[in-house]
């Protein structure tokens, strides 16, 4: 290596170290990194060397994922998750030295972090269904002396029986269901951390195993590329206008039919306001899940901005909480207010169709109930049972049936 190249390499290393330290500070200030052992792992593993092609600034952004593969339609199919999510998932899993950990969804960097945390007495297995992803992960792990991390190409629905049991199973792809093998291969009292999609909303849920039942211990908002293979599940979309202008996305059974809602979009839009306000940066993820558990026709709505004719006007075209009731549908909106507490947002509802006023008031009433009863709480507790569990053995206010499991959702007493 000539002198100029050597200087350039040293500059890159110094810049990376500086940005890595800033990333760690940002994660700690956000409350996503609290465990000193996990912090040491983030300091040890050079993230930029697991994200080739990304700038140092992108690699060490604490809240950004780095895409590593897209399909023929340009849809992202693999990425190195944002440090924020990697940090809180490791802490959700209570990953400790000596643990046996299975990571589902590979990339290399997260497996290296896990290996640093579990140490030489632990065991790390990482698997992915995509051979390109696992070959890349194996190459990067070996290049950084993580040769003892076992990399497997395969469908994660079957788990890895010959490496089980596991203390922790960490899923880093979006899952619609919980594979029975994951529960079976987890030790009693072990933790499954999974970005589970429930009624169209994804949450990173840390479950603890109690026999054949899983009970949540913590829940965080997150976003992941969807799982492929046997556990793959496609969202169903209802197009009320007969075009792709408005899409109502259902995670499970579609409520209503397009012809009824085609008439709905011809009616005048009804608007009502709930009188519930919040700060500009205040999170309201528990409201999303509250509405998802209270409204039978809950769905999410997206608007194609290239086809947008103004029939609906959500604050965010890509995502709005919505619900369908027969021949009508409504969605949650908000408006800015200047108050004695400063600038705030007030929640409201827009609805269309013959029953628009009634549906809008129903949704607004649920927003008010959340404000009275659940705002500021830790949110609901999730439990997962085998799919054949009878109703009388379930505990929870809402049951969501999936292929392999029955998910119950319980809210704390007001």
């Amino acid at each position: 290596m000539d002198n100029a190249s050597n200087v350039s390499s040293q500059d890159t290393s110094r810049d990376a170290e500086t940005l890595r330290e800033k990333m760690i500070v940002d994660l700690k200030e956000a409350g996503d990194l609290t465990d000193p052992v996990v912090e040491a792992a983030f300091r040890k593993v050079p993230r930029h060397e697991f994200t080739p092609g990304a700038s140092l600034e992108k690699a060490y952004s604490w809240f950004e994922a780095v895409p590593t593969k897209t399909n023929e339609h340009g849809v992202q199919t693999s990425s190195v998750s944002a440090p924020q999510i990697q940090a809180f998932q490791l802490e959700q899993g209570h990953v400790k030295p000596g643990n046996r950990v299975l990571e589902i969804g590979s990339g290399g960097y997260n497996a290296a972090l896990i290996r640093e945390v579990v140490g030489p007495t632990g065991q790390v297995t990482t698997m992915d269904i995509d051979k390109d992803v696992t070959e890349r992960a194996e190459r990067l792990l070996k290049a950084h002396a993580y040769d003892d991390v076992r990399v497997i190409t395969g469908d994660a629905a079957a788990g890895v029986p010959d490496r089980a049991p596991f203390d922790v199973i960490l899923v880093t792809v979006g899952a619609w269901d919980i594979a029975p093998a994951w529960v079976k291969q987890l030790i009693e009292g072990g933790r499954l951390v999974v970005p589970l999609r429930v009624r169209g909303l994804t949450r990173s849920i840390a479950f603890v195993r109690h026999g054949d039942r899983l009970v949540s211990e913590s829940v965080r908002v997150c976003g992941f590329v969807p799982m492929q293979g046997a556990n793959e599940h496609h969202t169903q979309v209802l197009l009320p206008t007969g075009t792709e202008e408005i899409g109502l996305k259902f995670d499970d059974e579609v409520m209503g039919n397009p012809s009824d809602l085609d008439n709905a979009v011809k009616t005048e839009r009804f608007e009502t306001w709930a009188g519930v306000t919040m700060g500009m940066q205040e999170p309201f993820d528990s409201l999303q899940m509250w509405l998802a558990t209270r409204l039978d026709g809950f769905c999410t709505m997206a608007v194609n901005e290239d086809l947008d004719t103004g029939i609906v006007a959500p604050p965010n075209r890509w995502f709005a909480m919505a619900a369908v009731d027969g021949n009508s549908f409504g969605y949650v909106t908000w408006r800015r207010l200047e108050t004695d507490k400063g600038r705030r947002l007030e929640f409201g509802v827009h609805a269309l169709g013959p029953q628009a006023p009634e549906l809008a008031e129903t949704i607004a009433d649920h927003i008010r109930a959340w404000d009275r009863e659940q705002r500021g709480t830790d949110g609901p507790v999730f439990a997962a049972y085998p799919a054949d569990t009878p109703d009388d053995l379930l505990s929870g206010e809402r049951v969501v049936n999936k292929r392999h499991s029955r998910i119950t959702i319980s809210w704390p007493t007001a």
Side-chain angles (χ1 to χ4, degrees):
M1 179 184 293
D2 60 33
N3 188 56
S5 298
N6 187 48
V7 170
S8 176
S9 177
Q10 290 174 351
D11 288 344
T12 298
S13 296
R14 282 195 296 268
D15 290 344
E17 185 175 346
T18 299
L19 289 169
R20 192 178 311 142
E21 287 301 317
K22 184 181 183 306
M23 175 189 74
I24 290 169
V25 169
D26 289 339
L27 290 170
K28 293 174 72 172
E29 288 181 349
D32 297 313
L33 180 57
T34 63
D35 187 331
V37 178
V38 178
E39 179 181 338
F42 272 93
R43 186 165 284 113
K44 177 76 178 293
V45 183
R47 180 177 168 89
H48 66 287
E49 294 183 14
F50 285 83
T51 56
S55 67
L56 287 178
E57 289 75 14
K58 175 79 170 178
Y60 286 107
S61 169
W62 68 281
F63 60 88
E64 288 188 83
V66 178
T68 55
K69 186 175 181 179
T70 56
N71 64 17
E72 66 273 18
H73 305 295
V75 177
Q76 183 179 317
T77 59
S78 182
S79 68
V80 177
S81 299
Q84 177 187 33
I85 290 177
Q86 293 171 319
F88 74 59
Q89 278 204 319
L90 284 168
E91 298 201 359
Q92 279 189 302
H94 292 195
V95 179
K96 303 294 182 187
N99 279 175
R100 296 158 296 177
V101 181
L102 169 62
E103 179 195 31
I104 294 173
S106 197
Y109 176 68
N110 201 48
L113 291 175
I114 298 169
R115 173 61 181 80
E116 287 292 338
V117 174
V118 304
T121 60
Q123 170 189 285
V124 182
T125 306
T126 181
M127 74 180 307
D128 199 284
I129 198 169
D130 190 324
K131 187 177 180 181
D132 292 342
V133 173
T134 53
E135 286 181 347
R136 177 178 170 277
E138 188 165 27
R139 182 177 69 255
L140 291 169
L141 286 164
K142 286 184 176 179
H144 292 85
Y146 296 107
D147 305 69
D148 56 350
V149 173
R150 182 172 171 186
V151 182
I152 297 174
T153 305
D155 193 326
V160 187
D162 67 330
R163 298 278 279 186
F166 299 101
D167 300 289
V168 181
I169 297 178
L170 203 63
V171 184
T172 62
V173 289
W176 180 78
D177 200 358
I178 295 173
W182 301 350
V183 182
K184 184 178 180 181
Q185 293 172 23
L186 196 64
I187 67 166
E188 180 70 13
R191 285 174 171 79
L192 167 68
V193 180
V194 55
L196 187 64
R197 205 166 78 238
V198 180
R199 308 217 78 200
L201 304 174
T202 301
R203 300 291 186 265
S204 178
I205 305 177
F207 286 107
V208 178
R209 181 182 177 184
H210 301 277
D212 63 357
R213 178 173 62 111
L214 301 171
V215 179
S216 69
E217 189 177 72
S218 72
V219 180
R220 296 290 301 264
V221 176
C222 65
F224 281 87
V225 297
M227 182 169 286
Q228 303 174 53
N231 271 356
E232 187 173 355
H233 182 82
H234 296 286
T235 298
Q236 300 184 68
V237 181
L238 193 63
L239 303 173
T241 59
T243 72
E244 294 184 358
E245 177 183 352
I246 302 170
L248 298 172
K249 301 180 180 181
F250 291 84
D251 204 35
D252 306 291
E253 180 184 0
V254 171
M255 303 289 290
N257 63 72
S259 60
D260 285 347
L261 296 183
D262 281 349
N263 291 325
V265 299
K266 299 173 184 176
T267 65
E268 184 177 355
R269 190 167 69 213
F270 180 83
E271 301 183 5
T272 191
W273 297 95
V276 175
T277 67
M278 61 179 294
M280 298 293 289
Q281 302 300 321
E282 187 179 341
F284 58 94
D285 49 281
S286 68
L287 173 60
Q288 296 174 342
M289 193 58 69
W290 176 258
L291 294 178
T293 58
R294 289 300 186 268
L295 296 165
D296 289 339
F298 181 84
C299 57
T300 61
M301 184 180 76
V303 181
N304 185 328
E305 65 179 323
D306 294 330
L307 301 175
D308 188 4
T309 63
I311 294 173
V312 294
N316 183 338
R317 284 194 184 100
W318 298 274
F319 178 90
M321 295 175 282
V324 171
D325 186 4
N327 56 13
S328 304
F329 72 98
Y331 60 91
V332 177
T333 185
W334 56 79
R335 61 185 176 186
R336 290 179 172 84
L337 298 177
E338 294 294 342
T339 72
D340 55 1
K341 296 181 180 179
R343 181 172 291 182
R344 296 179 68 80
L345 299 176
E346 181 186 11
F347 288 111
V349 183
H350 291 173
L352 297 97
Q355 305 303 315
E358 294 88 344
L359 177 58
E361 285 301 329
T362 295
I363 298 173
D365 281 343
H366 285 307
I367 295 173
R368 297 181 190 109
W370 166 81
D371 184 51
R372 291 191 310 270
E373 302 172 19
Q374 299 300 332
R375 188 171 184 166
T377 70
D378 291 334
V381 173
F382 297 81
Y385 299 79
D388 59 357
T389 305
D391 289 347
D392 60 353
L393 294 182
L394 300 176
S395 61
E397 300 164 35
R398 182 90 197 190
V399 179
V400 179
N401 293 313
K402 297 181 178 288
R403 188 180 307 119
H404 301 299
S405 60
R406 306 189 74 187
I407 308 297
T408 65
I409 307 169
S410 305
W411 289 87
T413 302

